[in-house]
Amino acid sequence: MDAEATRWEAEIEQYDASHLRLRQVAMILKQIAPESVFDIGCGHGYLGTLLEDIKYKGCDIIDGTDAPFPFVRCNVNQDVLPEEIGNADAVSCSGLLEYVDDLPQFLRQLRGRMQAQAWLVVT
């Protein structure tokens, strides 16, 4: 595991809480009412616990081997974004963009993966 992944493994627990930003993202997604959400930078998937009746998948740099939801390991600064993004009605990037090294490239790649009518919720 690289240094960046190791750092996030150590710090991820502080994001496994119903903090204001995550509750706001969940509220927006509930209003949109998609059938499915793909969460980029999902951590341990806490957002998914706030989205009852919405199919939830995610990706993150951390090891998600034991994730209770479909998980793809992805370092957004090194890896190609997962193809599974294209199956989602909505994509969430909450608290992630500030860690992306090349934001224009990330957004181009993300747009290339998303369905034409999919929603994007970012913070």
Side-chain angles (χ1 to χ4, degrees):
M1 186 180 309
D2 66 22
E4 189 178 9
T6 300
R7 179 177 69 94
W8 279 110
E9 288 283 355
E11 295 180 14
I12 198 69
E13 299 300 328
Q14 65 184 323
Y15 298 100
D16 288 343
S18 187
H19 54 79
L20 177 60
R21 180 177 61 202
L22 203 59
R23 289 192 320 267
Q24 290 171 327
V25 169
M27 180 186 70
I28 291 166
L29 288 167
K30 287 178 185 180
Q31 288 175 351
I32 294 169
E35 286 187 30
S36 60
V37 170
F38 193 94
D39 188 9
I40 304 173
C42 67
H44 290 138
Y46 196 81
L47 176 61
T49 66
L50 303 175
L51 300 175
E52 311 84 28
D53 302 322
I54 297 176
K55 294 176 195 164
Y56 179 83
K57 295 181 181 182
C59 70
D60 204 296
I61 192 172
I62 66 166
D63 180 7
T65 304
D66 298 327
F69 57 92
F71 180 91
V72 178
R73 191 164 194 184
C74 179
N75 178 335
V76 298
N77 290 318
Q78 297 176 3
D79 304 326
V80 174
L81 292 177
E83 289 184 22
E84 292 88 341
I85 291 169
N87 299 328
D89 300 315
V91 175
S92 170
C93 300
S94 179
L96 172 76
L97 299 183
E98 59 266 36
Y99 301 104
V100 176
D101 293 340
D102 187 346
L103 193 54
Q105 173 58 27
F106 172 81
L107 293 173
R108 279 191 298 276
Q109 187 181 171
L110 179 58
R111 183 66 192 117
R113 288 275 190 239
M114 291 176 62
Q115 296 179 42
Q117 299 302 315
W119 292 89
L120 178 59
V121 178
V122 298
T123 64

